[in-house]
Amino acid sequence: MAQQDWRKSVVYQIYPKSFNDTTGDGHGDLRGIIEKLDYLQFLGVDYLWLTPIYDSPMNDNGYDIRDYYKVNPAFGSESDLRELITKAHDKGLKIMLDIVFNHTSTEHKWFQEARQSAESPYRDYYFFKTSENGPPTNWLSKFGGNAWAFDDEANAYYLHLFDKTQADLNWDNEAVRHALYDIVNYWIEFGVDGFRFDVINLISKGKFEHSPAIGKEYYTDGPRVHEFLHEMNQRTFGHHDIMTVGEMSSTTLEHCIRYTKPERQELHSVFNFHHLKVDYRDGEKWTNQTFDLHQLKEILMRWQTGIYEGGGWNAIFWCNHDQPRVVSRFGVDDNEVMRKRSAKTLAIVLHLLQGTPYIYQGEEIGMTNPYFNTIDQYRDVESLNAYEALRTQGETKEEALNILGQKSRDNSRTPMQWNQEQHGGFTTGTPWIDVAPNYKHINVEAAIQDPDSILYTYKKLIQLRHDEDIVTYGAIVPRCMDHPQLFVYERQYKEVRWLIVANMTHETVKIPETLEMSDDVVIQSGDVHDGYLEPYAARVTVI
Ligand code: TEU
């Protein structure tokens, strides 16, 4: 495997709207990120990924872009962004932008032109279809309802796989591709160091036909997607020192290897979400369900070994702005000792896998789901639609709120908890979304002062990845796959072997005799007593 430096890096994801507000308008901003660069440098991460900061009506918090060349004034100005990049670089931190190329906002000038006339050169930038009998296909939008919306002005339907204000772009049109490549080149020139490409495996649409399901098979890893990504690579970032990651909804292992094998010149790494569907009931997200540990291990290990053998590269993560908080999900959040221990154990299990690890703001201090108790506290378009749908299906308000409390994307979008002041120090005004009530004891300031905090486990894991080649390049060997409580794997590199043993349950677990755990401890969470691992404890040893 080629040994390149970017493979040793750790990415920290910032959701600017909820990170740090310097103006008192309750909305985070770019200057707020500048203010926290010292903290991020102290943590030791390499890249900062900012979710979209471009001009947008914000129906989907910036994933609905109106102008790819303009900074959303709610986040600051272009000169704030320049200053952020310069100051980050001075501290050895790199900046990754989030690019949304599957769709634009319907307020984008291309869409505005396109809807006005069938003769407009922009008409073919999107998928406009006329149809006598309702929507052209039965495909469903990921945010609920049919994926086609009728536009009165165009007198035609247009495709939107997400919200109806997010119209899908037609990548088969060469003019669209060139316009998009220009955008990437503009931001490279501007000085950014990487890109996260939103739902980029959905860009090549196949046939527009009736689906026996919800339509996914027609556009997931579609017919020309590899060709398009290779072309984008060659015309944009492929000739620069830029790191890329593609967000790949429902992709397969085989495709993932193709997307990321260096010689194919597509992308550097890929996010997939299969391991985060282990608490869906019968594949349905909007359900209350405890997670299936066996399935979690099976999926993660199949992808780890598959990508390693195939020569591809994973992005590895528990959290992002679309997922609930991991400590609430796979750990414990209602008992302080267990919250700390399970959060550290989850960090250890993830960060010693192969791939590029991502830390989502607040994960490093064990932030939890906020458990909102009224629907008015929610902001996310997907969650609000889901609530309506659940109520229509006959769920009570309480049941619907319970499900949102477990699954809503807003669980991760509450303000970053900096200190014990009002609103966790996020804003002096009224935050756009409520802060989680536990900010008084779960906050960055408290974590920095406590040498035993979750924060220092993250810091150490980042340092281990930088210092120890085994973490980046080592082979991965799954162990004890049938054990009902332990998550165990080995890393092997040259003559060195590390054994990672984690108890993922609230029970004390006897360490199987077949496991040759040593006294040479690399990192641990909780403790081992007489061959027993405490609840939610983990230990990594050199063997
Ligand atoms: O998400 C794409 C995606 O498929 C999800 O993770 C999605 O939020 C989830 O399936 C809903 O259940 C990306 C962005 O990360 C997300 O914030 C955007 O809303 C979406 O694309 C549309 O741009």
Side-chain angles (χ1 to χ4, degrees), residues 60 63 103 143 196 198-199 247 285 321-322 382 409:
D60 188 22
Y63 285 91
H103 43 265
F143 292 164
R196 177 256 191 200
D198 189 59
V199 288
E247 189 210 20
K285 168 172 170 169
H321 64 292
D322 295 331
E382 186 198 37
R409 306 196 297 181

Side-chain angles (χ1 to χ4, degrees), residues 469-489:
D469 284 348
I470 188 172
V471 181
T472 306
Y473 307 111
I476 182 123
V477 183
R479 301 279 305 266
C480 303
M481 286 301 283
D482 291 327
H483 198 289
Q485 292 144 317
L486 297 181
F487 196 144
V488 186
Y489 59 89

Side-chain angles (χ1 to χ4, degrees), residues 279-420:
D279 55 3
Y280 286 17
R281 192 183 306 144
D282 303 324
E284 174 52 51
K285 168 172 170 169
W286 299 104
T287 50
N288 261 340
Q289 179 78 16
T290 48
F291 83 101
D292 181 334
L293 175 60
H294 181 77
Q295 225 191 341
L296 180 71
K297 287 168 34 170
E298 193 277 321
I299 295 171
L300 278 175
M301 287 300 131
R302 184 156 41 82
W303 278 75
Q304 282 283 305
T305 50
I307 298 261
Y308 182 84
E309 283 156 18
W313 198 254
N314 265 312
I316 49 179
F317 66 105
W318 290 133
C319 300
N320 66 30
H321 64 292
D322 295 331
Q323 299 290 333
R325 292 287 179 179
V326 70
V327 71
S328 301
R329 192 175 195 179
F330 302 149
V332 178
D333 67 3
D334 58 359
N335 165 307
E336 266 310 278
V337 173
M338 289 302 157
R339 182 185 68 88
K340 279 172 74 173
R341 197 190 291 163
S342 63
K344 290 180 192 177
T345 292
L346 285 162
I348 291 169
V349 166
L350 188 98
H351 280 251
L352 296 179
L353 294 175
Q354 187 174 55
T356 304
Y358 282 69
I359 301 169
Y360 177 69
Q361 64 182 47
E363 179 185 339
E364 76 279 17
I365 55 166
M367 275 177 61
T368 69
N369 290 349
Y371 302 106
F372 288 155
N373 41 41
T374 68
I375 190 65
D376 303 336
Q377 291 178 285
Y378 286 94
R379 300 286 175 270
D380 170 34
V381 53
E382 186 198 37
S383 308
L384 296 172
N385 291 351
Y387 181 80
E388 285 309 314
L390 288 165
R391 294 286 287 128
T392 311
Q393 287 156 27
E395 301 282 3
T396 63
K397 276 187 185 169
E398 290 67 32
E399 284 162 341
L401 282 171
N402 269 335
I403 294 174
L404 260 60
Q406 190 188 37
K407 296 288 171 59
S408 167
R409 306 196 297 181
D410 281 340
N411 286 316
S412 58
R413 297 178 180 184
T414 61
M416 181 69 181
Q417 296 168 201
W418 294 105
N419 55 43
Q420 52 173 311

Side-chain angles (χ1 to χ4, degrees), residues 500-543:
I500 292 90
V501 184
N503 180 358
M504 303 285 283
T505 70
H506 58 271
E507 289 145 15
T508 303
V509 176
K510 184 169 181 1
I511 299 165
E513 275 157 22
T514 48
L515 287 182
E516 50 288 71
M517 203 186 248
S518 81
D519 292 329
D520 186 357
V521 178
V522 178
I523 189 166
Q524 77 175 32
S525 155
D527 220 338
V528 175
H529 303 287
D530 305 323
Y532 285 83
L533 206 51
E534 288 181 335
Y536 289 104
R539 179 174 275 191
V540 180
T541 54
V542 181
I543 58 170

